[in-house]
Amino acid sequence: MLVMLVLVVLGVVLFDTRTRMKRLETRLALIEMDTSLVRADLAPPPVRPSPFTRAPAKAQATPRPEPVAPVATLVEPAKVSRPEPAAPPPPPAPPIAAPEPAIGTPPVPAPVRQAAASSRPGSAFEDLFGRRLPIWAGGITLAVAGILLVKYSIDTGLLSPVVRVMLGLLFGGSLIAAAEGALRQEERLRDPRVRQALAGAGIATLYAAILTAANLYHLIGPTTAFAGLAAVTGLAMALSLRFGAPSALLGLVGGLAAPALAGSSEPNVPLLSCYLALAIGGLCTLSRTQRWLWLGVGALVGGAGWGSLLILTGALDVASALSVGLLILALGIGFPLLAFSGSRATLIRAVSATVAAAQMAALVATGGFAPLHWALFGLLSIALLWLSGHEPSLRRLVPVGLGIALLLAGVWPSPPLLSFTLVITGIAALYGSAALRRLWRPAGGLIEAGQVVAVALGGLAVAAIHFYRAAPADDIRFALIALLAAALPLSGMAQGWRRADRKHGARFVMLATGAAVLLTVAGAFGLPGWLAPVTLALVGAALLTLSEQAQDYRVEYSGWVFTFVALTSLFMGDRGMEESLRLIGDATAIAPLSAMLRWSVVAAVAALFAWRARFAEGRVVAQAAAAITAYGTVAQVVPALWLAPITALSLPLLAQATRRLSPQRLLPAIATMLLVVLLWAAWPLLHWIGQAMLSLVGQPMLASNLPDMSDMLRRLALPAALVALTLWRGRFGMIARRAGVAAAILMGAVAMHIGYKQLFAIDSHAGFIHAGLAERTVWEALLLGAGFVIWHFAQHRMVALGLIAAALAHSLFYSLFLHNPLWATQAVGTLPLITLLLPAFALPFVALSLTRRIAPDLTVRFDRPIQGAQMLLILFFAYNVLRQLFEGSLLNGPHLAMGEDIGRSVLAIGLAIGFLLRGIRIGNRDWRIASLLLMLSAVAKVFLLDAAGLTGLLRIASFLALGFSLIGIGWLYSRQLKSDAD
């Protein structure tokens, strides 16, 4: 304790020294400023050249001004002149101490020298540790000596208790008398700190003597001790007025430390509380009158420390608890209001009230939550409410008190029902009524609205924590309590309904949201759990309607939150999971009527938001949510087999509505339902795509590996037709229409292909060998026919070109490259030119011809690839026919007859001649080059292969044929080249 006292005194001394140094620096700055001004007045004015005189050829040197006399010798700056050199300077006058200038008077030169002298290194250290601290340390030492003297007499038993106390009082009085004597001998001592230290030590000694007599020796009763402490407190205030702030500081430290230094093991708590209240109150009063902020703050901090110590000492009886509670009330509300004013008063009062509320809560908790303690907390709450009304800047203290009260009620262990009801009712009555009274006043705002909602929600939550047992009776009881609690924010809304300033703040929104939460909680208690989405959705719809009626769009945002929570709660829990599985076709057993009620109400509320809400972006989301929940409503009662067609059926119905509304109004719902349709089509589409990807590497696409006809019709064919009907009946933008067309074409094309594969019913590899080429040829013919019909009758050029391009690509890739009968096992028939080879290889020529007619501009750009494709088709067809003549239906046999081998050479020569003739006829050089390549290939084959295996006339015939062919080709080329040259 002694070390703490010394540290406090040292801190105050350092603060005082720092203040004095700042004043000294300010005086020096003012003196330097005046000196610079005087020098500026004495300086000669600058010489300005006249505009009518010519500038000298060479600038003359500016004469140096004469030195200015020191500031200390200046009396009247306006009459100062240069001193005569012959006159000797006057003798220096004896130094006279210059008096301290008053506030507002200009500084004189003498303090300049004094400040310079005092600013020497080490002077501040000497002033602090040589002049200031020893005196104050002596005062503290005297006070401690008096206390130690009393303690020594107690330990040794030299003096009786009465004598000890009397000696203490005499010693304290002597110290105060010595301080008065020091004041009267001021001319000799010339240091006010002497009297201040003596007076402070005397005050501390008197405090210790009285408390020792009361608590340790019980020589005096509580009344006498109370009178003595009050007298010492008054004397301390009087002495501080007479001797200054240091006496007040020592009185503060000694007065707060006296109870601890008295040495009583069992203090009288009521007496100590009264003493602390009197001492701190006197110090706060003195702090206000003398404007010593530090004194009042120190007194409050010390009082708060004593209050916490008294609370933590253990269980208090009724008188002790009452006295401590009143002390906390005085420290938190009364004294700060009394002691402080100005800009810092609000902060100090707020902190003090918060600390008092926490201490009062600790008193209630340590006292076993007795009614007396709750009454003290209620008294503090009343004081907080009064203080917030007295000073509007302290309105935030009320939520702090309310929060502490609710938290305290929440941690109340096993509270009796009657006591708990009275406490919660009292909290609601105090804070709720005050908030409702101030809610719509000019000073009211969000704090009061939040207070109303917190009272209602907090009281319900605390009651549920203690008394809810999940029994049917409890459900009904707490549902009624929640409805009763909702009446509090509803009454606040009713008060402000007709006020013109209702829209200026968020009070109405907060009250509406709080009431909505309480109504939802009431529904959760009173209704079955599966109705939670219904309750949330209805509350959201009510908020949307309230927003329209109140013309406050901010209420709508709360409605969005409740609707979103309702939508989310549909998928939560075991019931929500089972109902959600119905959306993807899982035939889980559910209660269809209750499930339909849940989903339909949420769907209706989402549609209401999509139709009536002001939040434009939110309407898009709400419309999509309405579509999903409406689909979920149907899924709860409709078998899974019909979900895809019914979902697709909703598209033309929505499209019909777009003919009466704006085309974009129902676009989110249509897009959502189209997405659901595509999700239902995803499985057959992915199944088909997987088989199609395998067909690209040569694995046949068998009908048995594709989706069955039922899935194709329900998930692909019928939805594709309904999407097409939607596009025909509705009005859509370009992007939406293109997306719909793409979806319809995708599902329709896959459905048609799956259905077509069922006609041939190829379900094995053997069936693919015998009917694969026929299946592909008919499919390509259908694509070509569809393209021609669409182009000729519907005039849709791009669609027709797409179908024709698909047929051509299918033929080139599968029939010409992947499954060409020359190297793949594909049956073509036995009769030449009456087999599948002719239509299979004729269809690409037809496709190219149609493309040239439909899009001549494209054929011009891609003429060379088209000509090359035609050459390849002719070559493959010719060699397939040649192979068929020798092998029959299957052309990929391993044997090659000699006649067929020679036939290949002859066929190459004949094709070369034909290519040459066609190139000459159409004037295309590519055909002629292809002819030369074929002829060279034939020559190479004849000379290198055929001639080696032939003998006799066959060899001669082969060479003759080759020779005549070469001659004919050469003759044709010569004529053609001459024609080109001409």
Side-chain angles (χ1 to χ4, degrees):
M1 182 62 70
L2 179 61
V3 174
M4 184 186 71
L5 295 177
V6 173
L7 291 177
V8 171
V9 173
L10 288 177
V12 175
V13 170
L14 290 175
F15 178 80
D16 180 73
T17 304
R18 186 169 176 266
T19 304
R20 292 176 177 271
M21 292 296 293
K22 286 185 176 180
R23 293 177 182 174
L24 185 59
E25 291 173 359
T26 304
R27 292 179 181 179
L28 288 174
L30 292 174
I31 292 171
E32 291 175 358
M33 183 182 299
D34 291 343
T35 304
S36 60
L37 293 176
V38 170
R39 290 177 177 175
D41 292 337
L42 294 178
V47 179
R48 297 182 180 178
S50 174
F52 302 101
T53 60
R54 181 176 298 177
K58 186 176 181 180
Q60 298 180 359
T62 304
R64 181 176 299 177
E66 296 295 332
V68 182
V71 179
T73 60
L74 296 177
V75 180
E76 295 181 2
K79 300 180 180 180
V80 172
S81 61
R82 297 181 183 178
E84 295 294 332
I96 300 175
E100 185 175 354
I103 298 176
T105 60
V108 296
V112 178
R113 299 191 185 95
Q114 183 179 0
S118 63
S119 62
R120 290 194 304 269
S123 61
F125 179 83
E126 294 171 354
D127 182 72
L128 177 62
F129 290 95
R131 188 172 66 89
R132 298 177 182 273
L133 290 185
I135 296 175
W136 288 337
I140 298 174
T141 304
L142 289 176
V144 175
I147 297 173
L148 292 177
L149 181 61
V150 175
K151 186 176 185 302
Y152 175 78
S153 66
I154 295 171
D155 295 337
T156 58
L158 295 177
L159 302 175
S160 64
V162 177
V163 176
R164 298 168 191 168
V165 173
M166 295 303 297
L167 288 177
L169 295 174
L170 289 175
F171 183 69
S174 301
L175 291 175
I176 295 174
E180 182 64 25
L183 177 62
R184 296 179 183 275
Q185 298 296 325
E186 177 63 22
E187 296 180 357
R188 295 183 179 181
L189 296 177
R190 295 183 180 179
D191 197 334
R193 281 161 291 278
V194 175
R195 60 177 181 269
Q196 293 169 354
L198 293 173
I203 293 170
T205 304
L206 292 177
Y207 279 140
I210 295 176
L211 286 175
T212 301
N215 294 332
L216 184 61
Y217 301 128
H218 305 289
L219 298 176
I220 57 176
T223 305
T224 306
F226 176 80
L229 293 174
V232 174
T233 302
L235 179 61
M237 289 188 292
L239 292 178
S240 63
L241 293 174
R242 184 169 179 80
F243 298 134
S247 296
L249 173 63
L250 294 175
L252 167 67
V253 176
L256 293 177
L261 297 176
S264 175
S265 58
E266 296 181 358
N268 189 333
V269 176
L271 180 61
L272 179 59
S273 300
C274 293
Y275 159 71
L276 290 173
L278 289 174
I280 296 171
L283 292 171
C284 289
T285 304
L286 183 62
S287 171
R288 183 182 182 89
T289 57
Q290 297 299 110
R291 297 184 179 179
W292 292 336
L293 181 64
W294 56 269
L295 182 62
V297 172
L300 291 178
V301 171
W306 273 110
S308 301
L309 184 62
L310 291 175
I311 294 172
L312 296 176
T313 52
L316 302 174
D317 55 12
V318 176
S320 300
L322 183 61
S323 60
V324 173
L326 294 177
L327 175 63
I328 293 172
L329 184 63
L331 292 174
I333 305 298
F335 294 158
L337 189 64
L338 173 67
F340 304 103
S341 61
S343 58
R344 299 180 181 179
T346 302
L347 177 61
I348 295 175
R349 291 169 187 170
V351 174
S352 300
T354 304
V355 173
Q359 287 184 332
M360 193 68 76
L363 178 63
V364 175
T366 56
F369 298 88
L372 174 63
H373 302 138
W374 278 114
L376 290 172
F377 193 92
L379 189 61
L380 177 65
S381 299
I382 294 173
L384 288 176
L385 293 171
W386 175 84
L387 185 62
S388 63
H390 177 75
E391 191 169 350
S393 58
L394 297 177
R395 289 167 47 237
R396 294 179 178 85
L397 288 177
V398 180
V400 174
L402 174 60
I404 294 176
L406 292 176
L407 181 62
L408 197 60
V411 299
W412 191 350
S414 303
L417 179 59
L418 179 59
S419 300
F420 181 84
T421 304
L422 292 175
V423 168
I424 292 297
T425 304
I427 293 174
L430 284 175
Y431 290 97
S433 61
L436 287 176
R437 186 174 64 254
R438 302 175 184 175
L439 179 60
W440 298 107
R441 293 182 179 180
L446 283 178
I447 294 177
E448 286 70 23
Q451 185 177 333
V452 171
V453 176
V455 167
L457 286 175
L460 178 62
V462 171
I465 290 173
H466 289 299
F467 299 103
Y468 182 70
R469 298 295 180 267
D474 287 345
D475 290 336
I476 300 300
R477 185 183 302 113
F478 276 93
L480 294 176
I481 294 174
L483 291 176
L484 183 62
L488 192 61
L490 288 175
S491 62
M493 294 168 58
Q495 289 180 12
W497 182 260
R498 299 184 180 276
R499 295 185 62 89
D501 58 344
R502 174 170 51 82
K503 303 178 184 178
H504 295 168
R507 291 170 289 184
F508 190 82
V509 180
M510 183 174 291
L511 292 172
T513 305
V517 172
L518 287 166
L519 292 175
T520 305
V521 173
F525 280 121
L527 299 175
W530 60 270
L531 283 175
V534 176
T535 305
L536 289 166
L538 292 178
V539 170
L543 289 172
L544 177 62
T545 306
L546 179 63
S547 173
E548 295 177 351
Q549 297 297 324
Q551 298 180 355
D552 192 344
Y553 68 91
R554 293 170 297 182
V555 180
E556 179 185 307
Y557 293 149
S558 297
W560 281 105
V561 174
F562 280 88
T563 306
F564 175 76
V565 176
L567 182 63
T568 306
S569 63
L570 283 175
F571 302 91
M572 297 177 63
D574 296 337
R575 189 186 189 104
M577 185 62 66
E578 293 173 356
E579 295 174 358
S580 302
L581 292 176
R582 301 278 298 183
L583 275 68
I584 59 176
D586 192 347
T588 305
I590 60 171
L593 294 180
S594 60
M596 187 176 179
L597 176 62
R598 283 160 47 95
W599 288 81
S600 61
V601 171
V602 176
V605 173
L608 178 65
F609 272 85
W611 187 261
R612 304 291 295 273
R614 299 183 182 181
F615 183 32
E617 291 79 4
R619 288 201 304 268
V620 176
V621 179
Q623 194 175 137
I628 289 292
T629 48
Y631 163 73
T633 304
V634 176
Q636 306 307 315
V637 293
V638 173
L641 294 176
W642 298 102
L643 284 179
I646 291 176
T647 304
L649 183 61
S650 66
L651 293 175
L653 297 178
L654 292 172
Q656 183 66 26
T658 61
R659 302 178 69 88
R660 300 180 181 180
L661 301 174
S662 172
Q664 304 298 325
R665 188 67 184 270
L666 293 177
L667 186 59
I670 295 175
T672 303
M673 299 311 293
L674 178 61
L675 178 61
V676 175
V677 170
L678 291 176
L679 289 176
W680 274 108
W683 183 86
L685 285 175
L686 293 175
H687 193 179
W688 181 87
I689 290 173
Q691 293 298 317
M693 297 298 293
L694 292 176
S695 71
L696 295 177
V697 296
Q699 182 174 339
M701 185 182 286
L702 304 179
S704 57
N705 294 335
L706 295 177
D708 56 16
M709 292 296 293
S710 175
D711 279 347
M712 183 270 291
L713 292 174
R714 289 184 296 102
R715 299 190 181 192
L716 295 176
L718 185 56
L722 292 173
V723 170
L725 180 62
T726 301
L727 297 174
W728 176 56
R729 295 296 299 173
R731 297 185 301 163
F732 305 103
M734 181 180 297
I735 298 177
R737 184 170 292 277
R738 287 181 178 178
V741 169
I745 290 176
L746 176 63
M747 293 186 294
V750 174
M752 290 178 60
H753 188 264
I754 294 174
Y756 172 76
K757 296 288 286 188
Q758 303 301 323
L759 296 178
F760 286 84
I762 299 176
D763 55 0
S764 63
H765 188 70
F768 178 74
I769 292 175
H770 291 287
L773 181 60
E775 184 189 56
R776 291 195 304 273
T777 303
V778 175
W779 176 251
E780 293 158 4
L782 291 174
L783 291 177
L784 282 177
F788 175 77
V789 170
I790 290 175
W791 169 68
H792 186 73
F793 295 99
Q795 300 297 322
H796 287 296
R797 176 185 174 186
M798 297 305 298
V799 177
L801 286 176
L803 291 173
I804 294 172
L808 180 61
H810 192 277
S811 176
L812 293 177
F813 181 77
Y814 287 102
S815 298
L816 185 64
F817 172 69
L818 196 61
H819 298 295
N820 195 315
L822 287 177
W823 53 75
T825 307
Q826 291 283 278
V828 298
T830 57
L831 297 176
L833 300 179
I834 312 179
T835 58
L836 293 174
L837 291 175
L838 182 61
F841 285 93
L843 284 174
F845 278 98
V846 176
L848 293 174
S849 177
L850 284 176
T851 303
R852 183 176 290 108
R853 292 182 60 186
I854 295 174
D857 52 339
L858 294 178
T859 56
V860 172
R861 293 173 55 188
F862 301 98
D863 182 68
R864 299 192 70 178
I866 292 175
Q867 299 293 338
Q870 290 176 347
M871 295 175 195
L872 290 176
L873 288 171
I874 293 173
L875 285 174
F876 280 114
F877 174 71
Y879 280 99
N880 272 279
V881 173
L882 177 64
R883 184 69 173 163
Q884 184 189 21
L885 293 174
F886 291 91
E887 292 292 329
S889 181
L890 297 177
L891 309 182
N892 62 338
H895 302 289
L896 180 63
M898 184 179 295
E900 183 182 356
D901 192 20
I902 296 175
R904 289 182 176 181
S905 301
V906 175
L907 183 59
I909 295 173
L911 290 175
I913 295 173
F915 283 4
L916 179 59
L917 293 175
R918 178 173 174 78
I920 293 173
R921 185 176 64 84
I922 65 176
N924 192 302
R925 187 168 176 267
D926 294 336
W927 287 89
R928 301 199 310 249
I929 293 176
S931 172
L932 288 177
L933 292 176
L934 281 174
M935 183 58 66
L936 292 175
S937 300
V939 170
K941 182 176 182 299
V942 169
F943 278 98
L944 297 177
L945 299 176
D946 295 346
L950 296 176
T951 59
L953 294 177
L954 289 177
R955 177 182 293 183
I956 296 172
S958 64
F959 280 100
L960 288 175
L962 181 58
F964 285 118
S965 299
L966 292 173
I967 292 171
I969 291 174
W971 175 72
L972 289 173
Y973 255 99
S974 63
R975 290 190 59 184
Q976 181 62 34
L977 293 176
K978 182 180 179 182
S979 175
D980 293 342
D982 294 339

